[in-house]
């Protein structure tokens, strides 16, 4: 069971065009994206410690969720998720860390599916093999089935990453070192790629294609998230 979870919520979310942090975007059920994230994490992993990395209009998030821990990426307008995750991992304790992008709307059953990997301390990235979007982070695997490439420019991709990931306690120092070295404007996936290529980090792709997970970048994504959540409620 996850003991630490990080939500990356420092970005400005300009593509969605809201005047407030994207994780505060309201869904059709009246909850914000972040409210459903925190609620699902606490339900799936009772006692989990949640840390949110904030930046853009941080006070709005901190006032909405006063009962979680925070890290502040003061360079949110000059850096990307690699440096937000780096801050969070440096502040984490000596256990593994599950982390989410702050704009992902997902089926809570994903958290149950990955619990055995967390318990086994297996670093992983959740993937959707049913879709390969041009703007999404995509992946390939090596001969043993572990992730080899992970970026938006991957050729011959097997699927796309969905924004839910875990690094084991043993692998965390390697990832921290890689995140520290990558460019300020890199996504955290670049840190994983560097750690894989240079340090032999073994990252398992966990297929969650049958469960919904939508990163909300545009209005169409928000509509998909609401439709998927409504369908899931109807099935439950």
């Amino acid at each position: 069971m996850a003991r630490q979870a990080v939500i990356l919520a420092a970005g400005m979310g300009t593509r969605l065009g809201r005047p407030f942090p994207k994780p505060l975007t309201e869904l059709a059920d009246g909850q914000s994206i972040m409210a459903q994230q925190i609620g699902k994490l606490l339900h799936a992993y009772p006692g989990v410690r949640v840390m949110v990395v904030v930046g853009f209009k941080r006070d709005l998030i901190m006032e909405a969720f006063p009962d979680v821990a925070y890290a502040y990426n003061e360079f949110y307008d000059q850096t990307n998720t690699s440096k937000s995750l780096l801050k969070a991992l440096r502040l984490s304790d000596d256990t593994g860390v599950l982390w989410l992008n702050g704009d992902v709307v997902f089926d809570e059953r994903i958290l149950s599916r990955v619990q055995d990997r967390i318990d086994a301390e297996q670093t992983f990235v959740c993937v959707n093999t049913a879709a390969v979007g041009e703007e999404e982070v995509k992946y390939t695997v090596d001969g043993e089935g572990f992730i080899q490439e992970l970026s938006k420019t991957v050729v011959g991709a097997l699927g796309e990453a969905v924004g839910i990931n875990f690094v084991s306690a043993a692998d965390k120092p390697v990832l921290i070192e890689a995140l520290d070295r990558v460019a300020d404007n890199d996504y955290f996936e670049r840190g994983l790629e560097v750690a894989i290529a240079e340090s032999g980090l073994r990252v398992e792709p966990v297929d969650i294609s049958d469960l919904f997970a939508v990163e909300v970048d545009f209005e169409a994504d928000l509509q998909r998230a609401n439709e998927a959540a409504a369908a899931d409620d109807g099935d439950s």
Side-chain angles (χ1 to χ4, degrees):
M1 184 178 74
R3 290 174 54 188
Q4 298 181 89
V6 168
I7 299 174
L8 303 179
M12 300 173 70
T14 53
R15 290 182 291 183
L16 193 59
R18 298 293 196 274
F20 48 79
K22 187 165 51 170
L24 296 181
T25 302
E26 188 173 298
L27 301 167
D29 65 359
Q31 285 195 100
S32 67
I33 294 174
M34 183 169 289
Q36 63 92 29
Q37 290 183 327
I38 293 174
K40 290 175 180 178
L41 285 167
L42 293 174
H43 183 258
Y45 308 131
V48 66
R49 296 186 299 280
V50 178
M51 176 186 293
V52 180
V53 184
V54 290
F56 176 62
K57 297 189 177 181
R58 66 190 186 279
D59 291 348
L60 295 179
I61 294 178
M62 296 174 75
E63 288 168 7
F65 305 100
D67 297 325
V68 300
Y70 287 95
Y72 177 43
N73 180 357
E74 67 272 34
F75 301 112
Y76 66 87
D77 58 341
Q78 304 165 46
T79 62
N80 213 319
T81 56
S82 61
K83 302 310 177 186
S84 288
L85 180 60
L86 176 61
K87 265 190 179 289
L89 294 184
R90 281 176 166 164
L91 291 170
S92 66
D93 63 24
D94 59 359
T95 64
V97 176
L98 180 80
W99 80 90
L100 320 174
N101 286 333
D103 60 357
V104 61
V105 179
F106 62 94
D107 188 320
E108 186 179 326
R109 287 174 292 182
I110 292 173
L111 301 180
S112 300
R113 179 167 298 178
V114 300
Q115 185 166 324
D116 61 337
R117 272 83 165 190
I118 294 172
D119 293 343
E121 286 283 299
Q122 171 58 58
T123 298
F124 65 78
V125 169
C126 289
V127 299
N128 181 352
T129 59
V132 185
E134 185 176 339
E135 283 295 308
E136 307 305 322
V137 172
K138 297 171 280 292
Y139 78 99
T140 59
V141 297
D142 61 20
E144 296 181 84
F146 292 98
I147 288 180
Q148 185 169 43
E149 297 174 287
L150 187 67
S151 74
K152 290 189 175 185
T153 58
V154 167
V155 176
L158 300 174
E160 60 188 38
V162 303
I164 302 173
N165 321 272
F166 174 78
V167 63
S168 71
D171 290 340
K172 191 161 51 172
V174 170
L175 181 55
I176 287 173
E177 193 272 338
L179 290 167
D180 188 42
R181 289 169 49 211
V182 301
D184 284 352
N185 62 351
D186 277 331
Y187 293 98
F188 66 73
E189 287 89 355
R190 180 57 186 154
L192 285 167
E193 267 198 328
V194 168
I196 289 166
E198 299 183 9
S199 302
L201 181 68
R202 290 161 68 89
V203 181
E204 180 186 0
V206 178
D207 190 351
I208 56 88
S209 303
D210 57 316
L211 302 173
F212 80 84
V214 181
E215 286 193 276
V216 178
D217 289 321
F218 303 100
E219 289 293 340
D221 299 325
L222 184 58
Q223 183 176 345
R224 282 176 56 217
N226 282 322
E227 289 171 353
D232 184 58
D233 287 342
D235 291 340
S236 59

